[in-house]
Amino acid sequence: MDVTHPRPVRVVKFGGTSVGDIDRIRKVAARVQRIVDEGAAVALTVSAMGRSTDALVATAREVTPRPDRRELDMLMATGEQVSIALVAMALTHLGVRARSFTGGQAGFRTDSLHGNARIVQVDAEPLRRAFQEIDVAVVAGFQGVDDHGQITTLGRGGSDTTAVALAAALGVEECEIYTDTDGVYTTDPHQVPDASKLETIDYDEMLELAALGARVLHPRSVWYARRYGVRIHVRSSFTNAPGTIVTRAPRGQEAAMQTDRPVTGVALDTEHTRINVVGVPDQPGVAAAIFAALGEAGVSADMIIQGVPGALDSRQQMSFTVPRDLADDAVDAVRPVLEAIGGGSVSADPDVAKLSIVGIAIGSTPGLAGRMFAAVSAVGANIEMIATSEVRISVVIPRSHAHDALQAVHDAFGLARPTATP
Ligand code: ADP
Ligand code: ASP
Ligand code: MG
């Protein structure tokens, strides 16, 4: 390579569906070959094939209902190891110089929180060196290594974060996320077919949508992109349709958004469980003790409500939502606290869904909560919990009403594609 004119590097990521079978792996290889032919070196992140991570988790749960988190990481990380090797082989078969890298080999160092590890540092040197000899570094998404050499994973959907972190470490402005939709929509287009595609979306709105259940990007990938100024281009693995650019909205545009578009998108999350704590003594320090125990167990709660059910009874009740796979840990963490403070019981209700509207102007636009609640109640859904912030309003409703309520709220804010409205 001519060192005075180093090749540009493109950072791209293909998700599970995009590498779901051998035919698709060949198509990904051909698409990446075209990028190499244009003169770039490629840092290519791939996810595990299809739903193979789900299959690995299901196998672990056949062995034991609560697999050890270190061992589960060891198992889940194998999914990406399969796909990086096959993608590298497919590229080599086409004559492209390619090599696979596990997360550790690609310089990903994380903390030790198995199952939801945070990236501490990405050392770009291994890839930089490799690009002197090869065209494509195929990097395993979703994994890293902690200070003790243990394999960790970054949380489900974490390959997006791998890709964005690589772009930041390599000093590349844009990270291209190829997936099975051709961009970010006003809501999941697989659930609401008349959802509209967004040309651009601001980091803050995308972060909120992702955190509230829009799986299209892993929340931490958006956080990373905002922190390091990486533009994310979400686009289709299967077509050349223009995608969605996730970036910082310029000030003027931001102001315009506040009047034109108070609601940017709607997110539905069916991956959370509601934890109910009832009959706890109503005294100072109870909530602190419960949430300290949850924190120690590595469980973070989202929506939290507390109220005294009856005036004559000085017992409190409290509910909050936690990610479904941490529900057992949450119950186990709360139970000894209740025993220590002398009363109360804790139970988990998985049949709930969280529906949220998101937009940077939500806090400054009156009337949105009323419109949202009216749409939810029109489909017969009872609102069990509510949480609001400057940029979102969320409700927890029974899971059985989730789909109808999503469609109704999307309609109520006029988010459908113009051509689809009569
Ligand atoms: P990948 O395997 O490529 O990472 P994911 O399944 O993780 O793909 O994410 C893509 C999916 O996200 C889409 O198929 C779509 O069903 C879902 N999704 C949810 N909300 C949105 C949204 N607002 N815009 C686009 N896709 C969304
Ligand atoms: N394979 C992992 C998962 O299914 C990571 C990813 O796909 O982003 O969660
Ligand atoms: Mg994903």
Side-chain angles (χ1 to χ4, degrees):
M1 189 180 66
D2 177 355
V3 283
T4 54
H5 294 288
R7 281 181 298 177
V9 177
R10 296 244 312 252
V11 177
V12 308
K13 177 251 168 181
F14 285 84
T17 315
S18 314
V19 293
D21 57 34
I22 301 305
D23 184 48
R24 287 188 171 172
I25 283 179
R26 288 206 179 98
K27 290 198 169 105
V28 167
R31 194 153 184 167
V32 173
Q33 182 183 33
R34 287 199 289 279
I35 301 177
V36 171
D37 288 346
E38 289 166 15
V42 182
L44 166 63
T45 301
V46 291
S47 296
M49 293 171 69
R51 297 188 163 272
S52 59
T53 311
D54 289 340
L56 290 169
V57 174
T59 308
R61 294 235 160 90
E62 273 178 43
V63 176
T64 166
R66 310 247 323 250
D68 179 83
R69 290 190 196 173
R70 175 193 180 276
E71 302 307 338
L72 191 58
D73 272 0
M74 186 68 94
L75 183 70
M76 286 196 292
T78 64
E80 271 70 14
Q81 232 171 289
V82 171
S83 56
I84 54 171
L86 294 176
V87 169
M89 287 175 201
L91 283 159
T92 308
H93 182 76
L94 295 176
V96 178
R97 297 174 305 167
R99 189 186 305 154
S100 61
F101 292 76
T102 63
Q105 289 171 338
F108 278 79
R109 207 159 55 72
T110 72
D111 65 15
S112 304
L113 188 62
H114 285 289
N116 199 19
R118 276 168 203 268
I119 298 170
V120 175
Q121 197 199 343
V122 183
D123 175 9
E125 263 323 290
L127 293 203
R128 285 217 180 89
R129 266 200 310 277
F131 286 141
Q132 291 172 7
E133 293 165 11
I134 60 170
D135 303 309
V136 183
V138 189
V139 177
F142 168 63
Q143 56 174 259
V145 172
D146 75 4
D147 279 345
H148 311 288
Q150 306 294 325
I151 293 176
T152 55
T153 65
L154 308 181
R156 296 301 307 273
S159 299
D160 300 324
T161 303
T162 302
V164 174
L166 270 181
L170 289 163
V172 174
E173 274 173 19
E174 182 171 284
C175 177
E176 301 164 56
I177 304 272
Y178 291 84
T179 184
D180 60 357
T181 54
D182 56 6
V184 178
Y185 281 71
T186 45
T187 194
D188 186 342
H190 289 133
Q191 298 215 42
V192 177
D194 63 4
S196 359
K197 185 158 76 180
L198 302 167
E199 245 177 73
T200 62
I201 180 167
D202 182 75
Y203 289 127
D204 290 337
E205 291 177 319
M206 189 65 240
L207 185 55
E208 206 71 22
L209 278 177
L212 293 169
R215 292 204 302 288
V216 61
L217 287 175
H218 189 239
R220 272 194 210 144
S221 71
V222 187
W223 180 88
Y224 233 93
R226 183 177 65 182
R227 167 83 177 72
Y228 293 96
V230 174
R231 192 168 65 237
I232 303 179
H233 186 179
V234 180
R235 49 192 307 194
S236 167
S237 293
F238 311 120
T239 72
N240 285 318
T244 300
I245 303 287
V246 185
T247 185
R248 197 174 310 284
R251 275 175 193 281
Q253 191 184 338
E254 199 173 298
M257 278 172 159
Q258 303 213 350
T259 46
D260 298 358
R261 208 174 62 175
V263 175
T264 300
V266 188
L268 178 65
D269 181 334
T270 52
E271 298 295 319
H272 274 69
T273 290
R274 174 178 170 160
I275 306 291
N276 300 309
V277 184
V278 295
V280 235
D282 187 18
Q283 63 195 40
V286 169
I290 289 176
F291 284 91
L294 288 169
E296 263 168 47
V299 179
S300 55
D302 179 32
M303 320 233 336
I304 303 170
I305 53 164
Q306 176 173 271
V308 183
L312 294 177
D313 185 350
S314 63
R315 305 227 145 214
Q316 274 281 11
Q317 68 178 25
M318 186 188 290
S319 291
F320 47 88
T321 57
V322 299
R324 192 188 314 152
D325 55 354
L326 295 179
D328 289 342
D329 290 351
V331 170
D332 286 357
V334 171
R335 200 167 277 135
V337 177
L338 299 183
E339 277 162 20
I341 58 179
S345 62
V346 55
S347 62
D349 174 6
D351 293 323
V352 294
K354 181 167 60 184
L355 182 66
S356 308
I357 56 171
V358 168
I360 48 178
I362 281 186
S364 55
T365 313
L368 301 179
R371 260 161 85 186
M372 179 185 187
F373 301 163
V376 170
S377 64
V379 299
N382 187 38
I383 297 176
E384 297 174 3
M385 301 165 98
I386 299 171
T388 64
S389 80
E390 275 300 296
V391 290
R392 65 133 160 174
I393 302 173
S394 303
V395 295
V396 169
I397 56 175
R399 176 91 57 92
S400 52
H401 285 99
H403 184 264
D404 290 349
L406 172 64
Q407 180 76 62
V409 169
H410 192 261
D411 289 347
F413 289 101
L415 298 173
R417 268 199 316 276
T419 47
T421 38

